[in-house]
Amino acid sequence: MAVWTRADKNGQLDLLLRDRWIRVAAELTRETLALTAEAEGDFPVNLDGSSEAVRKVRVVKQESGGLGISIKGGRENRMPILISKIFPGLAADQSRALRVGDAILSVNGNDLREATHDLAVQALKKAGKEVTLEVKYIREVSPLFKKPSLVADLPWDGVRPQSPGYSGSEDSGSPKHSISSNTKDRKVISLKMCFISRNLTMPDLENRLLELHSPDGQHTVVLRCKDGATANSWFTAIHTNIAALLPQTLAHINAYLGASSTTSTHPHLKHIGWLAEQVQLEGGRQQYRPVVMALTEKDILLFESVPWSRESWSVPLLTHPLLATRLVHSGGTRGSPAQGSDLIFATRTGTGRGIESHIFRVETHWDLSSWTRALVQGAHAAAELIKEVSIGCTLNRQDVRLMLHYEKGFTVTREPADPAGGAVLFRYPYEKLKMSADDGIRNLYLDFGGPEGEMVFDLHSGPKPVVFVLHSFLSAKLTRMGLLT
């Protein structure tokens, strides 16, 4: 079992928000990444210099929700007390007389021109049910408050509610008090089953960007670091923490699938994670799309996003039997060891329509070795678990059944079997096999060096699944004997 050294990290990053970069303070913990918009700093404002008129506004507080405004500023910030947010549907909004950017000069006659932020908060809270505000619109500072907030513009559906034990990001978008005392613009993202990647959906010519994809596959947070070295450091730290959560996530999903199953059988997950699959576009172009790969005891499954319900698990994008799948490449693109080349692995699966190939990109060498090991060991474990595969076919114009057994090798019987006995026509262990081939259409050729010579089996469908199962059985046996590593 791997021993993880999880990373805690803090620093300043840029967040891409509505096509512009915003400076945020990033805080990485074992299970979360918190992004906090930095304070704007000092913007000294001269109240007398504004050409806007002073207005008196009467607001009647509701039974719950108070005034329904947030304020910023104060003497300590060299700013007037400014309305930074008006919550829809609450008292201030219903008055239709207040706006973001209004400076509050007085509350019920109490002068707030030189008030600190805390003094202003207390004055507003104690103002009673009917509040008379003296306000003046400050055009110079209102753009500062009209920028979209992180919480409003970073939707992040971490997990579905029917998956107990998980939590998404903090919900700080709804007001809990009518007056906000310098509430930070903050987003806390749970790292469980997130996908951290680089240069996947956005070009990164300067090698400074990080992409964090949500478990539901719908949202991406793009962060920019000051240089490539900083980006590598942040990427490694976030990737390490996400990877460290995988065993916990795997155990949780298995428990959840088992608990929600109405039968005694349910898929037992052995490995799960995000990677990027290569897809073909028009004109021969290629690109990668994020997908979730899950390995059960028998199958490879691909999903568009993390499926949090049993119903979602039952409808993957595709399913391939491990026994009929080979790992055919693991390493850099085109075998290139050059730094910066993509790390990929490729699979080939025997299907009734022929061979289906897939190429997957991973982010780190750890990912590559983990998936390589999981696929190879998964195929060998599936061979030992399933043990036997059979198919009805024709041999020498006679209906027969060809059986491949993990331990016993090949058996050919009459179809249907003769109840009086004598149904076995041929039985050969694997070591007797001299040659195997197929025509890629429906025929499988086997030669055991016996007097019957080369046997031609008409499988009535594509022969590739049988060929790939044979390869998996042989590979598992050789590995068990110590002849393959």
Side-chain angles (χ1 to χ4, degrees), residues 5 55 73 82 105 145 163 175 203 258 261 277 310 315 324 357 363 374 379 381 388 413 435 437 447:
T5 302
R55 312 182 326 268
L82 295 161
L105 308 182
F145 303 133
S163 180
S261 175
E277 181 188 18
R310 187 170 178 81
V315 286
S357 299
E363 297 299 314
E388 183 178 273
T413 62
M435 184 276 297
D447 189 347

Side-chain angles (χ1 to χ4, degrees), residues 267-273 275 277 291-303 313 315-327 345-350 356 358 360 371-372 374-379 382 386 468 472:
H268 182 73
L269 287 175
K270 309 292 287 185
H271 195 65
I272 188 172
L275 31 73
E277 181 188 18
V291 294
V292 173
M293 179 180 283
L295 303 184
T296 69
E297 293 171 309
K298 298 180 180 180
D299 296 310
I300 301 171
L301 302 95
L302 289 186
F303 300 91
W313 282 107
V315 286
L317 289 173
L318 66 83
T319 303
H320 283 325
L322 277 165
L323 269 184
T325 302
R326 290 185 206 167
L327 180 72
F345 66 86
T347 62
R348 301 178 76 198
T349 301
E356 189 172 315
H358 294 270
F360 300 97
W371 281 110
T372 299
L375 285 166
V376 173
Q377 293 180 352
I386 296 172
F468 278 59
S472 294

Side-chain angles (χ1 to χ4, degrees), residues 256-276:
Y256 175 67
L257 289 176
S260 61
S261 175
T262 57
T263 65
S264 59
T265 60
H266 62 88
H268 182 73
L269 287 175
K270 309 292 287 185
H271 195 65
I272 188 172
W274 283 95
L275 31 73

Side-chain angles (χ1 to χ4, degrees), residues 277-295:
E277 181 188 18
Q278 187 182 93
V279 293
Q280 299 292 329
L281 304 178
E282 292 182 1
R285 295 180 297 115
Q286 300 171 342
Q287 73 176 27
Y288 287 99
R289 62 166 182 174
V291 294
V292 173
M293 179 180 283
L295 303 184

Side-chain angles (χ1 to χ4, degrees), residues 256-432:
Y256 175 67
L257 289 176
S260 61
S261 175
T262 57
T263 65
S264 59
T265 60
H266 62 88
H268 182 73
L269 287 175
K270 309 292 287 185
H271 195 65
I272 188 172
W274 283 95
L275 31 73
E277 181 188 18
Q278 187 182 93
V279 293
Q280 299 292 329
L281 304 178
E282 292 182 1
R285 295 180 297 115
Q286 300 171 342
Q287 73 176 27
Y288 287 99
R289 62 166 182 174
V291 294
V292 173
M293 179 180 283
L295 303 184
T296 69
E297 293 171 309
K298 298 180 180 180
D299 296 310
I300 301 171
L301 302 95
L302 289 186
F303 300 91
E304 288 183 336
S305 61
V306 180
W308 294 117
S309 68
R310 187 170 178 81
E311 291 73 24
S312 299
W313 282 107
S314 65
V315 286
L317 289 173
L318 66 83
T319 303
H320 283 325
L322 277 165
L323 269 184
T325 302
R326 290 185 206 167
L327 180 72
V328 294
H329 174 78
S330 176
T333 48
R334 293 182 293 276
S336 170
Q339 185 177 5
S341 65
D342 289 337
L343 295 174
I344 64 169
F345 66 86
T347 62
R348 301 178 76 198
T349 301
T351 73
R353 301 176 301 278
I355 296 176
E356 189 172 315
S357 299
H358 294 270
I359 296 175
F360 300 97
R361 194 194 94 175
V362 296
E363 297 299 314
T364 69
H365 288 280
W366 182 88
D367 293 329
L368 187 64
S369 62
S370 295
W371 281 110
T372 299
R373 182 171 58 252
L375 285 166
V376 173
Q377 293 180 352
H380 294 168
E384 295 189 15
L385 177 66
I386 296 172
K387 288 193 181 298
E388 183 178 273
V389 173
S390 67
I391 183 172
C393 52
T394 301
L395 175 64
N396 299 328
R397 299 183 180 180
Q398 180 180 4
D399 289 339
V400 299
R401 178 158 294 274
L402 173 63
M403 291 178 283
L404 279 67
H405 194 280
Y406 173 61
E407 301 285 357
K408 300 174 183 177
F410 301 85
T411 302
V412 181
T413 62
R414 293 188 181 92
E415 185 79 346
D418 185 352
V424 176
L425 299 176
F426 304 100
R427 180 174 283 132
Y428 287 106
Y430 288 110
E431 54 266 28
K432 291 290 186 179

